[in-house]
């Protein structure tokens, strides 16, 4: 019976380690992917400049959003190390909730840059005429949405980092910031 308990504890410890390690590595891969995607964006920026006449500076938001995804992935990667060592408590549940929330925001922003942007401007279904007012309107709408979402994601990430660094834990930081 003692040997069985020891074996189960070891299995539980290994499962816990693997859970956190796999997520750590997922975000590490996601970070590296954004480096490669930055090169893709350079080509898309040039195409939009040539095809629709958008100024290069108008397209800076794409780089900013992708860099925000990269920074958030780095933060998320290390939150899994933090979470691994965090004892079971209400703070841990709050931490996991905030971590999940940030992951959802980062995934949505990344998807917006990968899928939504391509669907609007680079898909076969895209019927935007070169240099048309419709193309410019769709671009301005997408840019506004992406910029706002980038800012929201950044603020959420900064707040989590701040809360994790507060003395007394997350619960104390959250109650103090609510005042």
């Amino acid at each position: 019976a003692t040997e069985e308990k020891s074996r189960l504890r070891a299995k539980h410890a290994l499962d816990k380690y693997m859970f956190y390690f796999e997520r750590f590595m997922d975000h590490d891969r996601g970070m590296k992917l954004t480096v490669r995607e930055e090169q893709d964006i350079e080509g898309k920026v040039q195409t939009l400049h040539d095809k629709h006449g958008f100024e290069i500076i108008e397209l800076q938001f794409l780089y900013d959003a992708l860099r925000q995804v990269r920074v958030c992935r780095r933060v998320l990667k290390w939150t899994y190390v933090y979470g691994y060592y965090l004892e079971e408590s209400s703070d841990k549940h709050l931490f996991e909730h905030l971590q999940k929330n940030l992951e959802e925001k980062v995934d949505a922003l990344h998807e917006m840059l990968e899928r939504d942007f391509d669907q609007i401007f680079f898909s076969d279904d895209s019927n935007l005429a070169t240099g048309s007012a419709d193309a410019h309107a769709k671009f301005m709408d997408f840019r506004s949405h992406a910029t706002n979402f980038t800012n929201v994601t950044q603020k959420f990430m900064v707040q989590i980092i701040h809360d994790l660094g507060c003395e007394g834990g997350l619960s104390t930081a959250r109650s103090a910031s609510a005042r």
Side-chain angles (χ1 to χ4, degrees), residues 110-127:
H110 203 175
E111 189 169 306
M112 182 189 306
L113 292 172
E114 285 182 326
R115 192 193 58 175
D116 298 352
F117 184 69
D118 285 353
Q119 197 170 19
I120 294 169
F121 293 101
F122 294 102
S123 73
D124 294 336
D125 302 343
S126 180
N127 54 0

Side-chain angles (χ1 to χ4, degrees), residues 31-137:
M31 249 177 54
K32 290 174 182 167
L33 178 63
T34 63
V35 172
R36 288 191 302 273
E37 288 173 344
E38 199 160 347
Q39 294 168 348
D40 294 341
I41 283 183
E42 286 179 25
K44 291 174 185 176
V45 162
Q46 191 61 50
T47 300
L48 287 173
H49 174 69
D50 296 345
K51 185 176 178 183
H52 295 289
F54 298 133
E55 294 299 321
I56 301 293
I57 195 71
E58 285 183 295
L59 300 160
Q60 182 62 40
F61 77 95
L62 294 167
Y63 295 105
D64 296 342
L66 191 60
R67 286 183 189 117
Q68 186 59 54
V69 168
R70 185 178 312 132
V71 168
C72 286
R73 294 255 183 239
R74 183 175 329 139
V75 168
L76 283 165
K77 178 172 96 166
W78 290 105
T79 63
Y80 278 98
V81 175
Y82 182 87
Y84 178 80
Y85 290 103
L86 199 57
E87 297 292 326
E88 273 303 320
S89 67
S90 59
D91 266 7
K92 182 164 186 164
H93 297 293
L94 177 58
F95 166 76
E96 288 172 344
H97 173 75
L98 295 172
Q99 184 185 44
K100 180 180 177 224
N101 236 334
L102 180 58
E103 277 182 312
E104 289 169 354
K105 285 175 179 35
V106 172
D107 288 344
L109 180 59
H110 203 175
E111 189 169 306
M112 182 189 306
L113 292 172
E114 285 182 326
R115 192 193 58 175
D116 298 352
F117 184 69
D118 285 353
Q119 197 170 19
I120 294 169
F121 293 101
F122 294 102
S123 73
D124 294 336
D125 302 343
S126 180
N127 54 0
L128 299 176
T130 301
S132 71
D134 187 37
H136 190 68

